[in-house]
Amino acid sequence: MIGVLSKTGEAGAVEEFFQLFKTPWEFFDPQKHYDVVITTCGEVPEDENARVVVIYESHPTAVDDQIEVAAGLLRRCEWVEWQSMEFPIYGDLALLRSPGQPLVRLRRTLETVGCIVAGSARPTVRLGFDLFSEVTFLLSEGQPPENARFATLDTHIALLRAILLGLNVPFVEVPPIPPGFEFMACLTHDVDFVGIRDHRWDHTMWGFLYRSLAGSLLRALRGRLSWSKCWKNWTAAWSLPLVHLGLREDFWLEFDRYLEMEKGLGSTFYFIPFKNVPGTLGSAPAPPRRSAKYDVTAIGDHIAGLLQNGCEISLHGIDAWQDTQSGRAELQRIREITGQSEVGARMHWLYWNTASPRILEEVGFAYDSTCGYNDAVGFRAGTSQPFRPLGAERLLELPLNIQDSAMFYSDRMGLPEADALGVCRDILRSLAVSGGALTINWHTRSLSPERLWGDFYAELLREIRTHRVWFGTARQIVGWYQKRRALRFDSVQFGDGGVQVRFDRSSVSSEFSFTVKIHHPAGVSETSAFPNYSRCSYVNAEWHGGELVEAPN
């Protein structure tokens, strides 16, 4: 069991961290003994309270002299490295001077910012930053776009896991992925446009013509677009009058093509609730081009077809992110169209503020999936696991990892397709290590002229399938994580013959399967050099419900 001593105001971040790193813990009780005590407040428990101590603190503590550590110059927003991994620290960071073994170093200078204390009465690790302050920043502000590709919060979890293993602490956890899989995948589509026939003499039509004709020619001359795709765009542009006359099919109407490409993988489509409503940004009107030109009530047949094929229909919100009255009206609109009470949300153009989680929760949305970037891809919150924003009590946020327009628009990342595929592969590799849910947003018009990003999307789907992946709708994936979060450990007992893990009876469910991962560094003496992974072992026990899990060492 882990006991936690934290600063005032960090309780929410502590609780959320241990939902992501699902292992037995509790806030420190001085009447109890713990395998490990993690402290961020500088207070260190007595020897009888903890066998192992992990101190996260950027300022000097009362025990630094006793453990022969000197916390030196404070820095802020620095990069550190641990083993082969680099990750940013967004808050204060102290340089440490200690005769102990370095664990985490400053990236450029290799100065120590985390160490295993030498010669202390009990195993102790001293780190020069506040873990839960970092968690608070990641789950509220999020990482800047330039750091998007680093799963920073998942790295903090991996570091703490390695510390426990290196200090020979046996523990159990429930990994963030169903048994037998590397990660989950959620294919989503924002429906900003239904057909180009809705657009006559407006910004969208003129933009399409420019990008299809002049834009395509320039990109082809620069080697950024094949001549065959350039010709497709020219053909589509010249056919536009026939589309408006009803003599040619609307080439932006792509619902059936997505169903064919994804073949029952359970996509989620986010529809804008009202026609010609751009919404507001604070007290100012949003740009008029943010409004949709389609009426969701007029495309009921398409929505019914998506539902019949196992897809999810959710809200692409206009003002729900900042106003409960608007949120209720938008939620009701989607409920009327689908006949379903549970509706998720993603805000149009990813509009958001710190009050949004509380507002969406109060309105009654099943989840939100707005946490992402318009100009980057990766891990805004530092994790791909659904998490509870610190302003909410129940609402879960499903992070958005990969967005087509972020990668390809020239005023955003502007990546060639080969480079974009490399970036996506890096994200997949990160997920294969840490688990979690990959969430992709491929706009419904992105298969069509003038974007023609369908070949890339097909290649991305093939790349995903090279991994062991559990595909689901956003609501299905969030539902699995809600059940995992509801699990509560009642007791964990390590014995000579094996391990017994008992769950609180009220938290168990047989609806989903989970893995109980049992780390038991058996045979590693407490005087072994840190870290020593070669003799650390684990057992995975697949769990289908019930109170008790038993496994051999």
Side-chain angles (χ1 to χ4, degrees):
M1 171 73 79
I2 296 173
V4 178
L5 276 162
S6 61
K7 295 184 179 74
T8 302
E10 289 186 337
V14 175
E15 291 169 353
E16 194 55 30
F17 178 84
F18 284 106
Q19 286 289 7
L20 303 178
F21 180 29
K22 191 75 175 180
T23 192
W25 76 282
E26 67 181 23
F27 288 109
F28 177 76
D29 181 346
Q31 304 303 315
K32 292 185 178 181
H33 179 82
Y34 297 93
D35 296 313
V36 183
V37 168
I38 296 171
T39 176
T40 61
C41 63
E43 181 182 346
V44 176
E46 301 293 334
D47 288 356
E48 60 267 19
N49 290 126
R51 185 170 69 82
V52 169
V53 175
V54 182
I55 304 169
Y56 287 92
E57 177 57 80
S58 58
H59 295 80
T61 73
V63 299
D64 282 348
D65 287 342
Q66 301 172 29
I67 60 176
E68 299 183 28
V69 170
L73 179 66
L74 282 177
R75 305 195 177 208
R76 191 170 181 83
C77 300
E78 290 277 4
W79 281 79
V80 301
E81 60 180 48
W82 161 61
Q83 295 184 343
S84 60
M85 289 186 281
E86 299 179 343
F87 60 99
I89 298 295
Y90 292 102
D92 291 339
L93 179 67
L95 302 181
L96 303 179
R97 293 189 302 276
S98 168
Q101 180 182 344
L103 175 61
V104 183
R105 298 176 183 268
L106 206 59
R107 182 172 64 178
R108 292 192 305 272
T109 66
L110 300 184
E111 294 171 281
T112 299
V113 295
C115 61
I116 301 94
V117 175
S120 77
R122 59 186 168 182
T124 302
V125 172
R126 177 74 165 89
L127 297 132
F129 57 89
D130 183 336
L131 171 63
F132 303 122
S133 175
E134 296 298 305
V135 173
T136 298
F137 176 85
L138 290 166
L139 298 186
S140 53
E141 300 295 326
Q143 303 191 107
E146 59 268 23
N147 295 346
R149 288 167 61 185
F150 294 88
T152 304
L153 182 45
D154 292 339
T155 303
H156 281 296
I157 294 171
L159 174 58
L160 179 57
R161 183 186 294 114
I163 288 171
L164 299 181
L165 291 172
L167 296 178
N168 309 308
V169 177
F171 65 100
V172 303
E173 63 174 313
V174 178
I177 193 64
F181 296 98
E182 293 178 70
F183 56 89
M184 294 179 169
C186 183
L187 309 178
T188 74
H189 308 291
D190 289 355
V191 188
D192 298 346
F193 308 89
V194 168
I196 199 167
R197 193 175 288 132
D198 295 329
H199 299 273
R200 296 190 181 191
W201 319 115
D202 63 3
H203 177 276
T204 296
M205 190 199 78
W206 293 118
F208 164 77
L209 289 173
Y210 172 78
R211 290 188 295 270
S212 295
L213 297 172
S216 292
L217 177 60
L218 290 172
R219 291 171 60 210
L221 290 171
R222 294 168 180 166
R224 299 292 296 270
L225 185 72
S226 69
W227 285 105
S228 62
K229 287 186 176 180
C230 181
W231 177 249
K232 285 182 181 180
N233 283 338
W234 287 348
T235 303
W238 291 114
S239 73
L240 189 57
L242 298 178
V243 173
H244 282 304
L245 291 170
L247 301 177
R248 292 283 298 271
E249 290 186 0
D250 194 324
F251 46 77
W252 276 10
L253 192 59
E254 298 278 28
F255 295 121
D256 289 343
R257 191 173 169 197
Y258 275 107
L259 292 176
E260 175 61 26
M261 291 181 72
E262 294 166 354
K263 299 184 185 303
L265 295 180
S267 302
T268 300
F269 289 80
Y270 294 91
F271 284 88
I272 294 172
F274 300 112
K275 182 178 179 180
N276 293 328
V277 178
T280 58
L281 181 56
S283 59
R289 61 191 180 90
R290 186 171 181 253
S291 63
K293 298 301 180 183
Y294 68 87
D295 185 342
V296 71
T297 62
I299 55 172
D301 289 346
H302 292 294
I303 291 175
L306 294 173
L307 289 170
Q308 289 168 6
N309 280 275
C311 297
E312 175 189 339
I313 305 300
S314 282
L315 172 74
H316 204 27
I318 299 297
D319 281 331
W321 64 284
Q322 63 177 353
D323 175 56
T324 54
Q325 183 176 352
S326 298
R328 291 189 180 100
E330 294 175 18
L331 174 60
Q332 184 59 28
R333 183 78 154 183
I334 301 300
R335 282 175 170 170
E336 290 171 355
I337 295 298
T338 63
Q340 298 176 345
S341 60
E342 286 199 357
V343 175
R346 174 183 293 147
M347 297 303 109
H348 190 26
W349 288 13
L350 305 186
Y351 278 12
W352 196 253
N353 63 29
T354 56
S356 298
R358 177 185 54 78
I359 291 171
L360 296 177
E361 183 175 82
E362 182 179 343
V363 169
F365 285 99
Y367 67 88
D368 180 74
S369 186
T370 305
C371 180
Y373 299 96
N374 285 314
D375 53 357
V377 295
F379 307 92
R380 179 160 189 164
T383 183
S384 63
Q385 287 191 52
F387 64 90
R388 179 178 60 83
L390 299 183
E393 294 183 5
R394 299 175 305 280
L395 182 82
L396 291 190
E397 183 70 29
L398 176 64
L400 170 60
N401 306 114
I402 296 173
Q403 181 171 199
D404 49 7
S405 54
M407 290 191 294
F408 296 131
Y409 270 1
S410 59
D411 59 346
R412 298 181 186 178
M413 297 178 75
L415 295 176
E417 290 194 0
D419 293 347
L421 189 60
V423 169
C424 292
R425 285 171 173 158
D426 288 344
I427 293 172
L428 298 184
R429 282 192 287 267
S430 180
L431 280 154
V433 171
S434 62
L438 170 72
T439 303
I440 296 171
N441 179 21
W442 219 256
H443 291 80
T444 50
R445 64 172 271 202
S446 292
L447 306 182
S448 316
E450 81 289 350
R451 293 181 177 175
L452 296 176
W453 298 336
D455 291 343
F456 183 92
Y457 186 56
E459 180 64 24
L460 179 56
L461 292 179
R462 285 192 288 271
E463 283 290 334
I464 295 170
R465 286 189 174 105
T466 64
H467 297 270
R468 291 176 286 111
V469 178
W470 190 91
F471 287 91
T473 66
R475 193 161 61 240
Q476 288 170 339
I477 288 173
V478 170
W480 186 89
Y481 279 94
Q482 286 172 329
K483 292 296 185 182
R484 174 177 175 260
R485 293 170 66 89
L487 291 175
R488 294 192 299 275
F489 295 95
D490 186 59
S491 65
V492 178
Q493 295 180 335
F494 285 86
D496 294 337
V499 183
Q500 186 181 84
V501 183
R502 188 176 297 277
F503 290 93
D504 185 288
R505 179 179 300 179
S506 64
S507 73
V508 300
S509 170
S510 59
E511 183 179 354
F512 294 106
S513 296
F514 300 93
T515 299
V516 179
K517 192 168 190 174
I518 302 163
H519 299 274
H520 199 334
V524 181
S525 71
E526 295 192 3
T527 59
S528 297
F530 180 88
N532 187 339
Y533 302 111
S534 61
R535 300 178 66 186
C536 297
S537 62
Y538 66 84
V539 173
N540 281 337
E542 189 169 332
W543 181 70
H544 302 279
E547 294 179 59
L548 191 63
V549 176
E550 293 185 288
N553 289 334

